[in-house]
Amino acid sequence: MVQYNFKKITVVPNGKDFVDIILSRTQRQTPTVVHKGYAISRLRQFYMRKVKYTQQNFHDKLSTIIDEFPRLDDIHPFYGDLLHVLYNKDHYKLALGQINTARNLIGKIAKDYVKLLKYGDSLYRCKCLKVAALGRMCTVLKRVGPSLAYLEQVRQHMARLPSIDPNTRTILICGYPNVGKSSFINKITRADVDVQPYAFTTKSLFVGHTDYKYLRYQVIDTPGILDRPFEDRNIIEMCSITALAHLRAAILFFLDISGSCGYTIAQQAALFHSIKSLFMNKPLIIVCNKTDLQPLDGISEEDMKLVMEMKSEALKTVIGQGGEATSDDSVLLTMSTLTEDGVISVKNAACERLLDQRVEVKMKSKKINDCLNRFHVAIPKPRDQKERPPCIPQAVLEAKAKEAAEKEKRKTEKDLENENGGAGVYSMNLRKHYILANDEWKEDILPEILDGHNVYDFIDPDILQRVEELEREEGIRQAEEENDEFEIDGAELTPEQQAALAEIRKKKSLLIQEHRIKKSNAESRPTVPRKFDKDKQYTSERMGRQLSSLGLDPSLAIQRMRSRSVSRRGRKRDRSPEGADGGDRMDVDGDTPGKKQRLSRSRSRSRSVSRPPHEVVPGEGLKDSAQKIKAIKLAKKSVKKRNKQARRGEADRVIPTLRPKHLFSGKRSTGKTDRR
Amino acid sequence: MRLEKCWFCSSTVYPGHGIQFVRNDAKIFRFCRSKCHKNFKMKRNPRKVKWTKAYRRVHGKDMTQDSTFEFERKRNRPERYDRNLAETVLKAIPKIDKIRVTREERHHKNRMKGKKEKLQKEAAKELEQSISLVKAPSALQKDPSLTLPQKIKVSVSQRQSEDNNAMEE
């Protein structure tokens, strides 16, 4: 339906934006690079493409605008009139016409300039032509700017119009301002119309939907109408008049009996008579509202007379319809929206009347056959004249009656909840209705977890039996186990043998450890022959110990070792103090040993002796102590000057590069490079 | 509230612990801690990871089939509450536990049965083969028992010790 497209009209940009959009699109979507040296045909083509592209875009966008805005003659007259009332038909048409002319003009401009471009002879000339073409197109659009702004306003307002379907079942509410029309619609539908004490609170049409007999009815609330000559009416009133004129709906004319709207019944009756021409062929109901303030029977004589007049008018419409002048209750109704008294009956009456009328019209129309073909009520053919009413057994009737009585007497859980403090305070006892073998068990709490097991996994009706079986089985197994408990003990090792085994294992692990150490420092260990034994590993004492631990007598071996060994130093001298040949000595007091011997033997047995600096260690590479002393002196001399001048030596820390490049350059893959 | 089993290591997951992963085919994997979860994400097979229960069962380290396992089964149909039944169940659970534990111990013992003998044989063999590390062959000849030799005392005189010093220096 056309009315729903009002919300789907695309936004109309204003003049400047429009131009910006089109030009930027041309900029982006066409090739941009061109050089003087290209072939002339290529240059022409380049610029022609731009001009045509711009024209095409303008054409497309303007066409969408023109197409999407509804044509006032093509839509339902209700909407046509409504739009005319709101936006002025002429202005609307003019605006759209201007857009159309703009479109045509732009097309013409493009055509002309393309023709000129065909004969452009240089890059510069082609470019100027293109600039001129685009410029003219944009000027055309700028001129049309105010129309675009107007159309945008119209579009925004149109999108917010209520979506009224002019062909469906509609109920229209009209009357003076402040009589209670909006309150009524708030009561029967989910619409939320503003209700205020001042007149003209409702300024436009409002739609609500309500249901009756499984059908959906539109209820339209109109702004109040004042009793004025037609030409003097303002836009708001014109909206309601349009609605009244064009929509085939049931009309509820609201009457405020109490006069609290500020207008007397006389005035309202006058209004009624002036617009009764609009009620032709429409089911009309006069609704007297605000009966809580003033009941219908309590009004004055004259007012009563006026009301009766209106009623007779309304009756005429009923008679005009179908000739059932039976109940005048369906023509004149009273209600009060404040106390909600009679609201539903008014709605039902209106819906009923409208439905009847519509059905009648449909019946008379040509389409009735199509409708009738769609459904068929099958009635069984009566066999004889015997009456066969529905048969309900007595017990069922009684039960139904009892249930009805019970329903009123029974206390529901909700009542209980309300008694005990409401929803947040009281929570119902869900266990109350449990069906158990023994009612005492209703409040029992069974633990869910026991010793790391889920109790629910163990629940089994015959668990007792199975456990007994299991225990019996276990007992049997245990007995069997006791019978073949002993294990044949093999030959156990004696404690001495165990000690030997422990020793063996220790030695093996030591060997492995040593080997591992040797392997790890193999590169840096000096290969010195064993006879230059710096750490004094290979001593005769040690050998003796090891041999004796193996169970051999080491004394012979030690003796042999001693007799063959060559003492490197001071053997001859060492012998003399033992008192072998005292007279050979040159020294007078033969007992005093020389300085060297004293030093070397002073605390030999009890403490180790540190080496004097001149002593040559075999394996070092120096010939004798004199050589060693010289070497030491040379070394010291070479370092003296540097030390005196406090200069950096070999052992002092050196940083070869103060700022290595790999630490001070390069970006990080994530994060900042604040710190280096 | 239920105690679940960790999919990877089969230990119990208490409420408030672990992570549950639901795969696109709606299979739920529960893990007791991030160690199991991370192993799962690495696509490791719990049957090959030594410390899991699955490995131990597959390789026969722990008991697999036993009637005590039949007692604990996830039942989907709830039973109507019966106080006497509840009492018996609560009493039975520790009993079943105890029996299960004893059976597992028995299983372990059976598994370890021949160990002692094997160790003894190995020890004897090692002793015989490597006795030469602690006992010289001549000492062994003299005293063929596989024990440590008696330590021989070496008398050291004064003179010899001084000579020793000289040589060593």
Side-chain angles (χ1 to χ4, degrees):
Chain A
M1 296 245 77
V2 183
Q3 55 263 33
Y4 293 108
N5 280 350
F6 289 173
K7 296 200 203 292
K8 290 206 187 136
I9 306 176
T10 47
V11 180
V12 179
N14 73 10
K16 252 211 258 175
D17 287 341
F18 206 144
V19 162
D20 280 339
I21 292 168
I22 302 282
L23 288 183
S24 67
R25 190 182 287 187
T26 316
Q27 167 84 15
R28 274 179 297 127
Q29 305 283 16
T30 53
T32 50
V33 180
V34 75
H35 291 304
K36 208 154 58 163
Y38 287 176
I40 188 65
S41 56
R42 189 170 167 188
L43 291 171
R44 287 182 193 145
Q45 204 185 37
F46 176 85
Y47 285 111
M48 275 200 288
R49 182 168 171 182
K50 284 204 187 273
V51 172
K52 275 197 255 185
Y53 189 83
T54 315
Q55 183 263 331
Q56 186 65 38
N57 274 340
F58 271 125
H59 182 92
D60 289 339
K61 275 203 172 302
L62 293 172
S63 304
T64 48
I65 295 173
I66 295 171
D67 291 335
E68 282 188 349
F69 273 92
R71 256 184 250 186
L72 294 181
D73 307 319
D74 287 348
I75 52 182
H76 193 275
F78 163 65
Y79 271 107
D81 258 2
L82 188 65
L83 293 180
H84 171 57
V85 161
L86 292 169
Y87 315 130
N88 192 356
K89 195 157 64 166
D90 303 327
H91 195 174
Y92 181 83
K93 279 194 176 168
L94 264 172
L96 284 178
Q98 275 193 358
I99 304 282
N100 198 17
T101 30
R103 184 175 62 169
N104 294 340
L105 283 175
I106 288 174
K108 275 212 207 107
I109 293 169
K111 224 172 14 178
D112 293 339
Y113 275 89
V114 162
K115 271 201 218 138
L116 286 175
L117 269 168
K118 275 205 268 201
Y119 302 104
D121 50 359
S122 73
L123 175 91
Y124 180 68
R125 213 164 293 212
C126 290
K127 185 172 180 179
C128 286
L129 283 170
K130 165 230 168 202
V131 167
L134 259 52
R136 277 180 69 177
M137 288 195 239
C138 296
T139 332
V140 165
L141 209 74
K142 255 198 292 189
R143 278 209 316 261
V144 157
S147 296
L148 288 171
Y150 166 76
L151 283 172
E152 174 60 20
Q153 297 271 347
V154 166
R155 181 199 74 89
Q156 281 179 0
H157 196 273
M158 264 204 303
R160 291 204 199 96
L161 288 178
S163 48
I164 301 174
D165 184 354
N167 296 329
T168 183
R169 303 160 284 273
T170 322
I171 298 177
L172 208 55
I173 311 176
C174 60
Y176 251 87
N178 251 348
V179 298
K181 306 187 284 295
S182 303
S183 333
F184 179 69
I185 197 177
N186 280 347
K187 284 284 180 289
I188 55 170
T189 71
R190 281 195 64 185
D192 198 11
V193 187
D194 238 4
V195 175
Q196 299 279 358
Y198 60 86
F200 288 103
T201 316
T202 312
K203 294 193 212 22
S204 63
L205 301 173
F206 284 95
V207 187
H209 294 85
T210 181
D211 295 317
Y212 179 75
K213 284 194 181 166
Y214 309 109
L215 289 171
R216 197 138 253 222
Y217 287 77
Q218 263 182 156
V219 186
I220 302 187
D221 179 25
T222 64
I225 314 172
L226 295 171
D227 190 16
R228 284 205 285 219
F230 189 76
E231 302 76 31
D232 292 347
R233 295 203 186 279
N234 60 26
I235 296 181
I236 302 174
E237 291 173 323
M238 282 308 294
C239 282
S240 8
I241 301 287
T242 319
L244 279 170
H246 290 284
L247 293 176
R248 243 175 10 133
I251 310 226
L252 294 172
F253 185 83
F254 269 54
L255 202 54
D256 180 358
I257 314 185
S258 62
S260 57
C261 62
Y263 305 98
T264 64
I265 298 188
Q267 286 173 314
Q268 297 181 42
L271 172 67
F272 178 81
H273 290 296
S274 63
I275 59 172
K276 69 182 176 201
S277 54
L278 291 170
F279 298 156
M280 212 53 69
N281 293 336
K282 299 189 182 122
L284 173 66
I285 298 181
I286 317 270
V287 180
C288 302
N289 199 9
K290 305 194 189 172
T291 47
D292 52 316
L293 294 172
Q294 166 83 285
L296 181 61
D297 311 314
I299 54 173
S300 67
E301 275 289 323
E302 303 150 354
D303 293 336
M304 204 50 165
K305 216 171 61 174
L306 290 165
V307 171
M308 286 304 133
E309 258 179 57
M310 289 200 284
K311 194 172 103 169
S312 57
E313 281 287 340
L315 270 172
K316 273 196 230 154
T317 63
V318 176
I319 295 169
Q321 260 179 29
E324 286 181 33
T326 46
S327 52
D328 51 11
D329 278 347
S330 66
V331 179
L332 178 69
L333 293 162
T334 58
M335 71 167 200
S336 169
T337 47
L338 195 62
T339 59
E340 297 196 34
D341 179 33
V343 170
I344 306 291
S345 50
V346 168
K347 171 192 132 184
N348 288 349
C351 293
E352 196 63 51
R353 288 276 300 275
L354 182 64
L355 195 59
D356 289 337
Q357 196 225 20
R358 282 175 72 99
V359 164
E360 280 226 26
V361 170
K362 276 220 173 93
M363 296 282 275
K364 288 186 196 148
S365 78
K366 286 183 239 174
K367 289 197 192 158
I368 188 62
N369 295 329
D370 303 336
C371 291
L372 280 179
N373 286 341
R374 272 192 249 145
F375 56 87
H376 168 71
V377 178
I379 305 173
K381 219 154 113 183
R383 202 164 47 167
D384 52 23
Q385 297 302 99
K386 189 167 174 196
E387 278 271 330
R388 290 185 175 88
C391 170
I392 303 172
Q394 190 64 18
V396 169
L397 282 172
E398 282 173 11
K400 268 199 181 168
K402 204 168 70 167
E403 205 187 281
E406 216 188 67
K407 235 187 186 173
E408 293 178 14
K409 272 191 287 173
R410 189 177 64 178
K411 192 174 193 190
T412 59
E413 286 287 339
K414 191 86 180 163
D415 295 336
L416 197 59
E417 187 184 67
N418 288 332
E419 271 176 30
N420 290 344
V425 177
Y426 171 84
S427 59
M428 72 167 277
N429 185 5
L430 296 161
R431 296 163 175 258
K432 215 163 49 164
H433 297 292
Y434 275 7
I435 306 168
L436 297 173
N438 185 347
D439 279 342
E440 285 177 355
W441 299 345
K442 277 187 188 172
E443 300 297 324
D444 263 5
I445 303 172
L446 179 65
E448 295 175 36
I449 294 172
L450 182 65
D451 287 347
H453 299 285
N454 293 310
V455 172
Y456 292 135
D457 290 347
F458 280 86
I459 295 180
D460 189 5
D462 26 87
I463 192 172
L464 196 59
Q465 184 193 10
R466 286 170 70 189
V467 169
E468 280 175 16
E469 244 179 69
L470 183 73
E471 288 188 322
R472 235 181 299 136
E473 209 186 302
E474 188 64 21
I476 295 170
R477 275 203 207 174
Q478 267 196 332
E480 275 177 15
E481 201 193 325
E482 277 169 18
N483 286 345
D484 42 43
E485 258 249 312
F486 33 66
E487 251 184 55
I488 309 162
D489 263 344
E492 263 206 48
L493 296 175
T494 63
E496 297 88 35
Q497 284 178 332
Q498 275 178 8
L501 186 62
E503 189 63 37
I504 288 171
R505 287 187 174 153
K506 198 165 91 174
K507 263 215 165 145
K508 274 190 182 170
S509 73
L510 276 174
L511 281 173
I512 292 169
Q513 274 177 27
E514 263 181 44
H515 173 71
R516 284 189 183 146
I517 292 172
K518 254 173 64 171
K519 216 168 59 159
S520 66
N521 58 15
E523 271 184 8
S524 50
R525 196 170 16 121
T527 39
V528 180
R530 198 187 262 211
K531 59 183 182 176
F532 304 125
D533 166 32
K534 202 157 91 111
D535 299 324
K536 293 224 170 94
Q537 268 184 337
Y538 303 104
T539 60
S540 59
E541 256 184 20
R542 196 149 170 246
M543 184 184 81
R545 270 202 304 272
Q546 283 181 341
L547 283 175
S548 63
S549 75
L550 278 178
L552 299 167
D553 184 10
S555 40
L556 284 176
I558 291 174
Q559 267 181 5
R560 231 189 343 230
M561 192 180 94
R562 260 190 234 133
S563 67
R564 272 203 221 146
S565 72
V566 178
S567 73
R568 286 283 165 93
R569 157 190 83 72
R571 194 167 178 225
K572 288 188 190 146
R573 281 195 210 150
D574 278 17
R575 265 209 230 131
S576 38
E578 265 103 74
D581 303 319
D584 283 354
R585 304 289 297 283
M586 274 195 261
D587 221 348
V588 174
D589 18 320
D591 290 54
T592 55
K595 183 177 176 193
K596 283 189 189 170
Q597 291 137 35
R598 233 191 305 130
L599 285 172
S600 64
R601 249 195 297 138
S602 50
R603 296 176 292 265
S604 55
R605 287 242 180 80
S606 49
R607 280 157 70 173
S608 60
V609 182
S610 58
R611 265 185 243 278
H614 54 83
E615 190 194 316
V616 173
V617 177
E620 248 182 1
L622 293 162
K623 191 167 66 175
D624 54 13
S625 56
Q627 204 187 45
K628 186 162 181 186
I629 290 169
K630 186 144 191 230
I632 290 169
K633 272 204 188 148
L634 280 174
K636 283 200 179 155
K637 188 169 171 208
S638 70
V639 186
K640 195 166 163 188
K641 186 169 172 199
R642 178 202 87 192
N643 284 348
K644 206 77 176 160
Q645 289 172 353
R647 282 161 150 257
R648 189 170 65 199
E650 297 139 5
D652 294 317
R653 178 182 300 189
V654 166
I655 301 173
T657 46
L658 276 174
R659 308 188 57 177
K661 188 167 174 193
H662 70 282
L663 296 176
F664 282 92
S665 73
K667 293 193 188 181
R668 292 185 212 273
S669 58
T670 51
K672 296 195 282 189
T673 319
D674 273 357
R675 29 178 212 291
R676 289 265 183 203
Chain B
M1 197 167 56
R2 259 191 81 83
L3 301 178
E4 305 287 352
K5 290 270 172 239
C6 172
W7 183 85
F8 198 80
C9 64
S10 316
S11 61
T12 45
V13 187
Y14 276 82
H17 289 262
I19 288 183
Q20 209 165 287
F21 166 63
V22 182
R23 211 164 52 178
N24 276 350
D25 60 359
K27 184 159 161 59
I28 301 180
F29 297 88
R30 296 175 219 269
F31 305 104
C32 60
R33 56 202 197 284
S34 63
K35 178 177 179 182
C36 303
H37 187 44
K38 284 179 183 159
N39 271 307
F40 173 79
K41 283 197 277 188
M42 278 195 268
K43 294 191 172 179
R44 287 208 181 138
N45 189 351
R47 288 172 191 227
K48 295 195 177 170
V49 178
K50 287 263 169 59
W51 50 272
T52 56
K53 201 84 176 149
Y55 175 93
R56 290 187 68 80
R57 292 234 170 88
V58 158
H59 287 75
K61 314 273 181 201
D62 275 350
M63 188 164 69
T64 24
Q65 269 181 337
D66 196 47
S67 53
T68 43
F69 296 144
E70 300 299 313
F71 281 88
E72 184 171 9
R73 202 176 11 113
K74 181 159 184 215
R75 288 150 232 269
N76 286 321
R77 200 188 295 164
E79 301 261 340
R80 205 177 281 276
Y81 177 72
D82 186 352
R83 189 186 276 184
N84 307 323
L85 180 62
E87 252 184 73
T88 44
V89 162
L90 288 171
K91 287 212 185 90
I93 291 178
K95 285 191 210 160
I96 296 170
D97 253 351
K98 205 168 73 154
I99 292 175
R100 196 192 74 234
V101 164
T102 42
R103 285 194 184 174
E104 279 188 8
E105 279 173 5
R106 206 180 297 141
H107 179 270
H108 178 81
K109 212 168 77 166
N110 277 341
R111 194 155 67 89
M112 296 292 146
K113 223 190 254 186
K115 186 88 181 265
K116 204 164 160 194
E117 207 183 317
K118 196 164 96 169
L119 283 173
Q120 280 171 357
K121 266 203 264 184
E122 276 177 16
K125 193 162 135 204
E126 190 180 351
L127 185 60
E128 205 194 309
Q129 281 183 343
S130 318
I131 190 65
S132 51
L133 284 177
V134 293
K135 197 167 188 184
S138 56
L140 191 61
Q141 245 180 6
K142 264 188 254 158
D143 172 26
S145 74
L146 296 170
T147 53
L148 287 170
Q150 273 134 3
K151 279 228 170 178
I152 297 175
K153 292 261 174 198
V154 179
S155 61
V156 179
S157 64
Q158 183 95 8
R159 181 179 284 216
Q160 283 180 342
S161 65
E162 287 188 3
D163 268 3
N164 274 345
N165 278 341
M167 273 191 298
E168 278 155 21
E169 281 167 353

